Amino acid sequence: TQLLEQSPQFLSIQEGENLTVYCNSSSVFSSLQWYRQEPGEGPVLLVTVVTGGEVKKLKRLTFQFGDARKDSSLHITAAQPGDTGLYLCAGVTPGGTSYGKLTFGQGTILTVHP
Amino acid sequence: DAGITQSPRHKVTETGTPVTLRCHQTENHRYMYWYRQDPGHGLRLIHYSYGVKDTDKGEVSDGYSVSRSKTEDFLLTLESATSSQTSVYFCAISDGSGSYEQYFGPGTRLTVT
């Protein structure tokens, strides 16, 4: 069974601060996805990283996939209250018959105070 | 937004009763998934489907069964609900292109008393 350890579980910061969320595993994933979830709604895909060492930017959010494709990080610059939510990383199981099965981390609840 | 709906959105049921949750999509995507979300566990895969009548188990499939008789509908059944199945259930779909990006429904909150 593949596991993804996500940390920290909770982050409470002031507007304007920077933060990083980590996802780590001993398993290799074919790709890694990051989702954001608002209360009462389903997760919404933010980004997918596929290649080892890949870096993707989405406005103030920077996503990185580890060289060995076992870990990933999400960095937010100058956080805003609108960034508040649950952030989830999810690894795609490798293999042709995996059919996109995802292994999720436990999630990080981010609260950004004005 | 992907056309994916779940019904019911909320349900309270008693221990031992059967429950069926429905996921309906209008995107004609081949792959469909059922997850449950519990505090501290993220989302965990229950069952998934890779085509009509093609389904397989996920990591937490005990006590659950699924059926997919047509592309647009994926049903999750709890044959005899238990309190440990109190959770929020999410359906997701994917067309399998790229990296199997998944699009989630709004969820069903199930309480088993």
Side-chain angles (χ1 to χ4, degrees), chain B residues 64-79:
Chain B
Y64 302 94
S65 62
V66 290
S67 66
R68 190 170 179 201
S69 58
K70 44 187 178 177
T71 299
E72 56 266 37
D73 290 324
F74 193 30
L75 304 180
L76 176 70
T77 297
L78 291 66
E79 301 291 348

Side-chain angles (χ1 to χ4, degrees), chain B residues 17-88:
Chain B
T17 60
V19 177
T20 296
L21 308 182
R22 181 185 185 228
C23 178
H24 179 78
Q25 61 145 329
T26 57
E27 304 296 320
N28 201 37
H29 284 357
R30 176 182 174 186
Y31 303 94
M32 299 184 76
Y33 313 84
W34 276 108
Y35 296 89
R36 61 177 290 174
Q37 185 173 35
D38 305 290
H41 289 278
L43 282 88
R44 292 179 291 175
L45 182 65
I46 305 171
H47 281 279
Y48 63 100
S49 170
Y50 47 96
V52 173
K53 297 194 168 120
D54 292 321
T55 65
D56 205 349
K57 297 178 180 180
E59 63 177 305
V60 290
S61 59
D62 287 349
Y64 302 94
S65 62
V66 290
S67 66
R68 190 170 179 201
S69 58
K70 44 187 178 177
T71 299
E72 56 266 37
D73 290 324
F74 193 30
L75 304 180
L76 176 70
T77 297
L78 291 66
E79 301 291 348
S80 177
T82 67
S83 58
S84 65
Q85 293 175 313
T86 292
S87 187
V88 181

